[in-house]
Amino acid sequence: DTHSCPHNRVLGYHDSAYGGGQATLSALTAAGIKTTFCNQCHLGITSAGHGSGAGSPWNDYLLDHVMRGQVHDAFMRRMPHARQWSEGTGVHSPFVLKQGNKVKQEAVELVRQWYGRQGACIEPGEVYFFEDRTENVKPFAEKGLNSREISCGSR
């Protein structure tokens, strides 16, 4: 929504989420994750939906252009096989699709554990999950994970 959130940026990709339409980057994403403290983090995605599908141009754009930062890029150069999508709690990469709302924390914890098996030990309190739905924020605290709603308006 660029009317309510004027710093969002519409791209020339189709995004199947929320009824479909042109993919839109939030102001934070448009500026780049690497411009935040997340530049020094291992990154991941956990989505209730499938985006536009593993291997779609939009999902590829997310991995190639959005999920970028100094630490993450170095990790991906060492572990190129990690550039794949997991589903639900079958986590074999840091990018997870089809993990329902209100249970996303389960997949995020599994991503944290997956990173540990790859040699990147991350304490639960050092995990920060940024979410666009209010109901997904609170359950993270039960696992000692940080979560914040960051959308311009709640969905």
Side-chain angles (χ1 to χ4, degrees):
D1 176 11
T2 56
H3 177 72
S4 300
C5 307
H7 298 292
N8 287 1
R9 189 175 67 166
V10 178
L11 301 177
Y13 292 92
H14 179 76
D15 181 1
S16 298
Y18 295 100
Q22 290 297 108
T24 303
L25 297 179
S26 68
L28 173 117
T29 307
I33 292 173
K34 65 183 175 243
T35 65
T36 73
F37 75 94
C38 296
N39 186 49
Q40 297 302 310
C41 300
H42 291 86
L43 304 176
I45 295 173
T46 298
S47 176
H50 71 286
S52 291
S56 69
W58 172 234
N59 283 37
D60 284 347
Y61 180 91
L62 291 172
L63 298 184
D64 294 340
H65 301 283
V66 174
M67 301 307 291
R68 302 298 303 273
Q70 183 178 356
V71 170
H72 187 73
D73 288 356
F75 177 85
M76 294 304 287
R77 281 192 297 276
R78 288 191 312 276
M79 309 287 278
H81 68 277
R83 191 195 177 283
Q84 60 181 308
W85 293 96
S86 300
E87 288 189 7
T89 56
V91 173
H92 55 268
S93 74
F95 311 115
V96 181
L97 300 173
K98 300 181 183 176
Q99 179 65 4
N101 289 317
K102 299 184 183 177
V103 292
K104 287 182 179 181
Q105 70 280 4
E106 304 298 333
V108 171
E109 171 59 15
L110 291 171
V111 168
R112 186 189 73 77
Q113 293 173 18
W114 177 86
Y115 267 122
R117 290 190 300 277
Q118 312 314 308
C121 296
I122 304 166
E123 293 296 322
E126 293 299 315
V127 172
Y128 295 85
F129 186 77
F130 300 101
E131 173 60 49
D132 62 355
R133 297 182 67 96
T134 304
E135 72 267 21
N136 289 326
V137 174
K138 190 173 182 181
F140 280 80
E142 297 167 11
K143 294 204 172 285
L145 308 170
N146 298 291
S147 182
R148 301 288 184 272
E149 183 179 358
I150 61 166
S151 63
C152 187
S154 181
R155 294 184 184 181

